[in-house]
Amino acid sequence: MARCSICDKGRLAGHRISITRSNVSRRANRYWRPNVKKVRVTTNGNTETVKMCTACLRNMKTKSA
């Protein structure tokens, strides 16, 4: 499972509700997954590869290599 190493964002679970049928009878499980990328990051002089969501990447919460 993809998980952001900075903000610990993971997948969210919920229901897919059919619009054409009754909302009570037609529900299917589904997952919303975060947009996670592999990024090379420099921390304390060491370069490592971490999984980071695009929201953290856009806000530049870490310094990329």
Side-chain angles (χ1 to χ4, degrees):
M1 178 178 70
R3 185 172 289 276
C4 179
S5 62
I6 307 300
C7 65
D8 203 37
K9 185 188 291 185
R11 68 180 187 176
L12 293 173
H15 293 289
R16 180 182 295 124
I17 299 174
S18 174
I19 296 173
T20 58
R21 304 274 180 151
S22 171
N23 286 348
V24 176
S25 62
R26 300 290 180 190
R27 290 183 184 214
N29 295 332
R30 72 158 291 189
Y31 297 102
W32 287 268
R33 293 178 178 89
N35 191 5
V36 176
K37 307 289 184 187
K38 283 186 180 179
V39 180
R40 291 178 60 192
V41 176
T42 303
T43 53
N44 298 331
N46 297 329
T47 302
E48 59 184 344
T49 303
V50 296
K51 292 181 180 177
M52 186 185 303
C53 67
T54 54
C56 292
L57 187 62
R58 185 173 57 241
N59 294 332
M60 291 302 286
K61 293 189 176 179
T62 59
K63 189 171 184 175
S64 58

